[in-house]
């Protein structure tokens, strides 16, 4: 028995692709047809008003060494559903002999669809959480093979930390987490809190889980009185008991404050999504969000040939010819164009040409940005766009 996952070698050999691409390559090779094509990746109807483009790093790792060119928006680019005139925005394009990349359409799409979905959802929850601590807790909901992907995309989207060991390692961070109900069920509440305090590295913030048995208000007071450097209490209150969760949180806050524990924070988790995070952000100090980020809707990009042997050609429903993508440095508007543009037609501002070469003849162009640089790029755009209002 083995895990039902593809190895890195199997992915690079194209073994996860849809079989019809193998058949296509076989036919083209047997008839000796060599077609130089230019194919673009766009999403026609994303599930959100804007999308964070993610997953490019794995595409480059997959395609390295193949005689193709790749043009892309920088990973972390936040782009709207359509450009100013309503055209879909190409996030990436591949150029070369179609036979050299035909079989990789499936894995390439898989890389950017899932990573972009998770990063976009994380960014939306980032906006909902304001400046409160936001941790990615959702690897437990998905296949363990992709834990590092989930955590990297969550972090790029704006989470402050990730819970899995390997996910944190992939982004060069320490994993973030608190304590599970299992610790309390095996040791009893007070011993669990005390032993955690005694045995766990002091670098780990003391956040006591207080929803296992009793009422959160009284448990919070008890934890604050037992653990000398208590950083926060975590409420993971089951949905069967949540009721007006915000009122429970207010009670806990009140009872801690009235007893001089203003410095003990409140951390919440369990079933949180954009709306509940937005509702609670002014009365809590941090969030652990799992399923709604790790199980985020994928962004259903498609790859479409738009030029064959230098001539525009696209299927029904798509726009032929290779395109340029511009973003105005002043008003942030996007423009898709088949010709050079100098100035923003809306505000006259300077235009940034966004679709740049990231691979030429199989070689990665320049140094790939570090994960923190990509995350900062996302956050800088979110601040600029101010959530849904600006996009
Ligand atoms: C869950 C666990 C996860 C949280 C909630 C994510 O609590 O703490 O980190 O929940 P979400 O996926 O709904 O956002 P439990 O399932 O009670 O697990 P545990 O006892 O290990 O805390």
């Amino acid at each position: 028995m083995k895990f039902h996952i593809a190895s890195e070698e199997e992915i690079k050999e194209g073994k996860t692709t849809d079989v019809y691409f193998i058949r296509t390559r076989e036919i083209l090779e047997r008839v000796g047809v060599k077609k130089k094509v230019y194919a673009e990746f766009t999403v026609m109807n994303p599930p959100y008003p804007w999308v964070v483009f993610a997953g490019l790093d794995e595409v480059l790792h997959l395609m390295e060494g193949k005689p193709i060119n790749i043009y892309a928006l920088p990973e972390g680019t936040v782009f709207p559903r359509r450009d100013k005139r309503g055209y879909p925005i190409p996030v990436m394009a591949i150029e070369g002999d179609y036979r050299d990349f035909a079989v990789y359409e499936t894995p390439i799409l898989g890389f950017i669809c899932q990573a972009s979905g998770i990063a976009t959802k994380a960014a939306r929850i980032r906006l909902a959480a304001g400046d409160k601590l936001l941790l990615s807790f959702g690897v437990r909901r998905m296949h363990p093979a992709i834990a590092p992907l989930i955590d990297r995309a969550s972090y790029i989207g704006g989470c402050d930390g990730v819970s899995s060991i390997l996910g944190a390692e992939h982004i060069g961070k320490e994993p973030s987490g608190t304590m599970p109900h299992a610790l309390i069920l095996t040791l009893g509440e007070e011993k669990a809190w005390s032993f955690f305090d005694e045995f766990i590295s002091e670098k780990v913030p003391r956040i006591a889980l207080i929803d296992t048995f009793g009422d959160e208000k009284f448990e919070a007071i008890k934890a604050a009185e037992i653990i000398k450097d208590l950083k926060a209490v975590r409420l993971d209150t089951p949905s069967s008991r949540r009721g007006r969760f915000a009122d429970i949180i207010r009670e806990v806050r009140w009872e801690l404050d009235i007893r001089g524990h203003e410095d003990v924070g409140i951390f919440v988790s369990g079933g949180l999504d954009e709306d509940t995070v937005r509702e609670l952000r002014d009365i809590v100090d941090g969030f652990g969000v799992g399923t709604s980020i790790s199980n985020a809707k994928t962004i259903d990009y498609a790859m479409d040939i738009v030029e064959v042997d230098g001539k525009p050609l696209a299927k029904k429903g798509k726009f032929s010819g290779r395109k340029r993508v511009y973003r105005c440095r002043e008003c942030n508007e996007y423009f898709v164009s088949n010709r050079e543009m100098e100035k923003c037609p809306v505000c006259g501002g300077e235009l940034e040409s966004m679709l740049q070469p990231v691979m030429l003849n199989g070689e990665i162009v320049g140094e790939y940005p570090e994960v923190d640089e990509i995350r900062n790029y996302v956050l800088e755009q979110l601040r600029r766009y101010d959530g849904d209002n600006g996009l």
Side-chain angles (χ1 to χ4, degrees):
M1 287 300 283
K2 58 189 284 191
F3 296 132
H4 302 295
I5 56 175
S7 67
E8 186 152 334
E9 292 68 34
E10 288 166 330
I11 295 171
K12 287 181 84 98
E13 286 161 20
K15 293 183 78 174
T16 66
T17 196
D18 296 297
V19 67
Y20 64 4
F21 290 123
I22 301 290
R23 294 172 185 154
T24 299
R25 184 176 62 180
E26 183 185 342
I27 295 166
L28 291 174
E29 283 174 347
R30 292 184 67 161
V31 298
V33 169
K34 176 181 167 67
K35 289 287 180 186
K36 184 174 179 198
V37 305
Y38 187 90
E40 291 177 343
F41 293 75
T42 57
V43 50
M44 296 299 282
N45 300 296
Y48 310 108
W50 45 270
V51 173
V52 177
F53 176 49
L56 176 61
D57 65 325
E58 291 188 300
V59 172
L60 297 182
H61 179 58
L62 174 71
M63 301 308 282
E64 199 163 15
K66 293 173 178 57
I68 51 123
N69 301 330
I70 299 179
Y71 307 88
L73 305 184
E75 185 167 28
T77 297
V78 178
F79 65 96
R81 264 200 185 98
R82 297 293 175 96
D83 84 332
K84 185 65 181 170
R85 295 184 299 167
Y87 292 110
I89 296 167
V91 296
M92 194 168 68
I94 293 187
E95 177 182 44
D97 178 339
Y98 180 64
R99 293 173 303 179
D100 289 330
F101 65 90
V103 303
Y104 294 106
E105 176 172 340
T106 306
I108 290 172
L109 285 170
F111 283 138
I112 61 175
C113 288
Q114 186 163 20
S116 296
I118 292 170
T120 305
K121 190 63 170 178
R124 296 179 61 82
I125 294 186
R126 172 75 278 161
L127 286 173
D131 60 357
K132 297 299 171 64
L133 179 70
L134 172 61
L135 300 181
S136 166
F137 271 11
V139 288
R140 64 176 53 202
R141 305 292 183 224
M142 307 305 271
H143 193 290
I146 60 167
L149 154 80
I150 291 168
D151 279 343
R152 179 181 184 274
S154 304
Y155 186 72
I156 282 175
C159 285
D160 298 298
V162 299
S163 63
S164 82
I165 308 289
L166 195 55
E169 195 179 296
H170 271 238
I171 59 174
K173 306 293 174 190
E174 287 298 317
S176 305
T178 64
M179 60 179 70
H181 293 99
L183 182 69
I184 292 168
L185 291 163
T186 45
L187 285 179
E189 208 155 55
E190 296 183 27
K191 281 196 179 145
W193 295 340
S194 306
F195 286 151
F196 186 99
D197 200 20
E198 185 179 342
F199 297 130
I200 299 301
S201 154
E202 57 194 29
K203 286 190 297 187
V204 178
R206 269 61 183 140
I207 300 179
L209 184 62
I210 60 162
D211 71 282
T212 309
F213 299 121
D215 180 278
E216 285 81 349
K217 171 160 87 167
F218 301 107
E219 298 299 287
I221 296 165
K222 188 164 69 170
E225 286 165 357
I226 290 175
I227 304 172
K228 58 185 184 306
D229 299 329
L230 186 63
K231 173 107 172 122
V233 289
R234 173 158 84 102
L235 281 70
D236 189 65
T237 309
S239 54
S240 62
R241 302 300 199 280
R242 271 201 185 184
R244 293 200 304 274
F245 194 36
D247 280 344
I248 296 173
I249 293 165
R250 287 188 190 95
E251 276 186 49
V252 168
R253 183 68 278 155
W254 182 272
E255 299 301 342
L256 286 170
D257 291 354
I258 202 170
R259 290 168 177 77
H261 299 302
E262 293 89 340
D263 56 342
V264 174
I266 295 177
F267 188 89
V268 293
S269 62
L272 300 174
D273 63 16
E274 288 177 52
D275 296 338
T276 45
V277 166
R278 191 170 291 110
E279 179 202 351
L280 300 176
R281 74 177 174 197
D282 294 334
I283 56 174
V284 303
D285 302 279
F287 299 95
V289 179
T291 311
S292 64
I293 292 178
S294 60
N295 187 35
K297 291 176 191 152
T298 63
I299 304 299
D300 57 336
Y301 299 104
M303 183 189 99
D304 295 285
I305 292 172
V306 296
E307 185 184 277
V308 179
D309 288 342
K311 294 188 178 58
L313 180 66
K315 73 175 186 180
K316 191 165 58 179
K318 302 291 176 161
F319 300 87
S320 64
R322 63 178 68 201
K323 299 165 192 72
R324 295 168 170 84
V325 178
Y326 295 100
R327 178 169 65 185
C328 176
R329 295 183 193 278
E330 304 301 321
C331 69
N332 299 312
E333 285 292 356
Y334 275 82
F335 302 92
V336 173
S337 171
N338 60 2
R339 60 175 66 90
E340 287 278 338
M341 289 179 70
E342 295 296 327
K343 293 291 180 194
C344 173
V346 172
C347 73
E350 187 191 341
L351 292 177
E352 179 184 2
S353 178
M354 300 292 288
L355 212 49
Q356 292 296 327
V358 290
M359 179 172 280
L360 292 174
N361 195 25
E363 279 196 41
I364 295 175
V365 174
E367 285 295 308
Y368 200 80
E370 293 295 327
V371 70
D372 276 314
E373 192 181 335
I374 299 170
R375 180 176 183 273
N376 292 335
Y377 174 45
V378 172
L379 296 178
E380 180 268 324
Q381 294 170 96
L382 295 183
R383 279 190 286 274
R384 226 191 308 165
Y385 294 144
D386 185 28
D388 290 351
N389 310 326
L391 275 169

